[in-house]
Amino acid sequence: MALGSATYRLASDPAPPVRHLGGYERFVAFCAGQGVEAVELAADPVRLIGFLRTFGKDIAADAGLKQAAGVFAGNTLARARPDAAWTAYEGAPAMVGTDDLRFEVGRLLDALREADEASLQGFITKVSEWAGDRPDPPMMHPQPAFLPAAPGYVRPGLPEDTYYAEDGTVIPYGRRWGDGPPDPDSYSVTSHTERFAGLHLVARAVIDHLAAVYDVEVREDNAVTADLLVDVRDVVAAVNVTPQDPGAAPLTFVLTGFPGVVVHAGALHDFPFPVCGCDACDETVLTQADRLERLVLSVAAGGYAERYPVGRRRWREYALTAFDGSGAESGKGEPGPIDETRLQEAEIRLRDVQGGWAPWPLRRR
């Protein structure tokens, strides 16, 4: 599949994660004045919580001391986990934590002072469990296989049309908002959804490509919509494509009346096209066709991996490496409202493909 390319050069090396900030000396001196070694509090988040609770009123009376106590508390939390760090975004308060849990240290002192005993104990339990949890090793991105020469995939011609706003002006989808933010009134508004109709053509084309090139079983039946984890309404067609190698990830395509396509890949992940479709997101059929083709061809090439459960919160995770080496993506999060039996089955299934799903076997000619 022909793709454009560009060369980028980093202006500087990426900044390392921030795990320690300065500016807590006044709090260290305050601790000494109470006969407590600050280094001991830094090694024990639960003990630090108790100290802040006890002396919170005195600390809050001095703005500089309060700020120093917040920095000290943040450093203590960052020290508790090897994957914890400070984060700060423009217009947002500084936070410390990990992907699954972050603490707003600027509010910590006030929250501890105001909390009742039950809330305090709940917070202590939460911090203790978080600090005691050790992260799983990073998920390795799978490497797609280089496949022997086979008929290449060709995108079908997509219908082109011009779309107009209520005032009669042409809507330039894909660049509608220029460099500025979307119109606040455009969120949750879906106009001209017919512009995504070409995704049905693309889905049919990739299904035909898979059936022609790979050793697979193709089943078109609305019953296979049960493979999806999300509730999809207005189903136009549903097709399951299962490779003959049990170590390779199956794909289920559900074409919807939106119009759109939802693809279920492997055991625990659904990928919608378009992702949203609202006017604010300003997605186009071309960008979504790119995503759809990239997902499908990369899964077939063995560039797809899943993990479950991940960490104490038992998240699900995926990694996708593009079949042509053009890029990679990953994601993780809570499973959501998925039947427990299905989660157990997925956990067992994914144990057999811990290095990633296998490339699909080619059809014999």
Side-chain angles (χ1 to χ4, degrees), residues 295-315:
L295 170 69
V296 173
L297 299 179
S298 300
V299 170
Y304 181 57
E306 293 179 280
R307 286 200 304 183
Y308 174 82
V310 179
R312 174 178 54 84
R313 298 181 67 177
R314 299 179 66 83
W315 281 10

Side-chain angles (χ1 to χ4, degrees), residues 252-302:
T252 298
F253 300 78
V254 177
L255 284 59
T256 69
F258 178 80
V261 179
V262 181
V263 179
H264 178 79
L268 281 179
H269 287 87
D270 293 340
F271 298 87
F273 307 91
V275 175
C276 176
C278 79
D279 288 7
C281 290
D282 197 30
E283 296 168 313
T284 71
V285 67
L286 293 177
T287 59
Q288 295 309 299
D290 286 342
R291 289 184 55 243
L292 175 56
E293 292 162 344
R294 174 180 168 179
L295 170 69
V296 173
L297 299 179
S298 300
V299 170

Side-chain angles (χ1 to χ4, degrees), residues 76-200:
T76 299
L77 291 168
R79 179 183 179 183
R81 287 262 303 253
D83 57 336
W86 286 84
T87 57
Y89 301 98
E90 185 177 357
M95 305 187 78
V96 175
T98 56
D99 288 342
D100 59 337
L101 183 61
R102 298 186 188 277
F103 303 91
E104 186 180 333
V105 294
R107 292 190 63 254
L108 181 60
L109 189 64
D110 293 334
L112 291 176
R113 290 175 54 209
E114 297 167 1
D116 56 31
E117 194 61 31
S119 298
L120 177 65
Q121 291 305 314
F123 180 70
I124 290 175
T125 298
K126 188 175 186 178
V127 171
S128 298
E129 291 178 349
W130 173 82
D133 190 22
R134 286 298 172 261
D136 290 289
M139 188 174 189
M140 301 299 293
H141 275 273
Q143 296 303 314
F146 176 76
L147 300 178
Y153 167 78
V154 178
R155 177 183 294 178
L158 300 181
E160 298 182 7
D161 206 345
T162 302
Y163 303 99
Y164 299 90
E166 292 182 357
D167 61 3
T169 59
V170 174
I171 303 174
Y173 281 114
R175 57 185 188 282
R176 185 174 188 178
W177 311 117
D179 295 330
D183 184 333
D185 294 334
S186 66
Y187 290 93
S188 301
V189 176
T190 54
S191 60
H192 296 298
T193 58
E194 67 274 15
R195 69 185 189 275
F196 296 113
L199 291 176
H200 286 191

